Amino acid sequence: MKPYCPGNPLERYSSRREFLYVGLLGGLGLSLPGFLSQRASAAQKFYETVEGPAKGIIHIFLPGGMAHQESFDPKPYAPAEYRGPFGAIDTSIPGVQFGEKLQHLAKIADKTTIIRSMWHGEAAHERGTHNMFTGYRPSPALEYPSIGSVISHELGPRNNLPPYVCVPNVPNEYANSGYLSSAYGPFALGSDPVRGDFQVRDLNLPKGVDDERFARRRSLLETVDHHFRNLEKSDSLDSMDAFYQHAYKLISSQKAREAFNLKAEPDELKDRYGRTEAGQRMLLARRLIEGGVRFVSLTAGGWDHHDNIKGGIEQQLPPVDQAIAALINDLDERGMLDSTLVMVTSEFGRTPKINPTGGRDHWPRVFSVMLAGGGVKRGHVMGSSDALGGEVDTDGVTVADLATTVYQQIGITADKELMAPGNRPIEIVAGGNVIESILA
């Protein structure tokens, strides 16, 4: 267990000073809601250089509970009421089949690892989602940070870009910073990349403010900072100065802003991903990782198919299948796959038996996760469910195991202790084991 390494806690500022700072910041066009307004402590934190095979992570979350039987763990020999409405197709891994609607991913399964033996005990959406985003079961006593926020806290920014970005918005309350400072929360785009007028809010100077005027106002703000520092020798003023420096870097750096410029991608590549929400979100995710973002979280579709799972899968799975396969191929072609961990998860699976309304209900006792790149084996299947897809049969994997493995791959020791409120040391992940068998 490694000792806690403290960072600067988020400071509270007096109402007079805070009001003045916010007013000046607004005049500069630097609002960056939900991200930069509380970045002071993150900007000052000292970040150790760590090495892991993954330099970045793309977390593709399928909200609602993706049916493992219709995707990565079909049961073609089960009775019809368990097998479901679809058949199975061969993949590029000999002897391994996927659900028939995963046409694209089946062809590149030899670039992935499939875990067919994930499980936990939470059948409610909120609790299952909390598990998958934090590595912990929910607790009434403590709000745990998301994996993205822990990575932001431990590794910090790179290339003037936010370390943790959500595409297009923060998907749920469990994707936030928990007991950590909100300085380590995600930067949300505020607009969906599939929109024809897609533009990330707050990254461009407002109308009427050119670079020269921007620099003059920055100088004015520094004068005010100096005045307050002479009046009050306060650490919080130094923190605010660090915050502004980070804001200036993001807005003034053409290279940083360019990472969000989806228009720079060729039309042929956009078509490969698909001109869909899933396709354009994943294309932007690749671009952000390429630019230096450490953790990108995105959602695709809705998978709570209590009724008519046939229609839901037929409508939603093909564009997601196309997009994920295009992302993995694109990363591989660019030489980025070995250093980028792609993770496809959902909060739980679905019941083994089709219900009376043609759907499947919540089922956390076994489900599937897909991983690719980032030091994970290619063409590997980990664990299995039983013949009806209702229980773990071999090599069960817990949420803590998965989170511990993800952290290791990006260079973070999962049993390191962080400090929660009340000076309470909390392990980043408690009780998890690295899944050695899936690592290359």
Side-chain angles (χ1 to χ4, degrees), residues 60 62 105 276 278 282 300-301 303 316-325:
I60 301 165
L62 307 179
L105 283 172
T276 60
M282 292 183 207
W303 309 90
Q316 297 207 38
L317 193 51
V320 172
D321 169 49
Q322 176 183 347
I324 297 173

Side-chain angles (χ1 to χ4, degrees), residues 50-51 147 150-152 154-155 404 406-416 428:
V50 295
E51 293 294 334
I147 294 172
V150 171
I151 289 172
S152 177
E154 292 297 298
L155 303 184
T404 296
V406 169
Y407 282 127
Q408 173 180 280
Q409 294 309 97
I410 203 167
I412 295 172
T413 302
D415 63 359
K416 176 182 177 181
I428 292 174

Side-chain angles (χ1 to χ4, degrees), residues 3 14 36 45 113 126 210 218 236 279 291 301 311 328 376 382:
S14 70
L36 286 175
K45 180 177 172 64
T113 278
E126 295 81 6
D210 57 17
R218 174 178 181 176
S236 64
I328 293 170
V376 170
M382 163 74 180

Side-chain angles (χ1 to χ4, degrees), residues 130 134 139-145 173-174 176-180 421:
H130 182 285
T134 69
S139 167
L142 191 62
E143 188 177 348
Y144 293 99
E173 60 186 299
Y174 313 116
N176 284 307
S177 56
Y179 62 72
L180 296 176

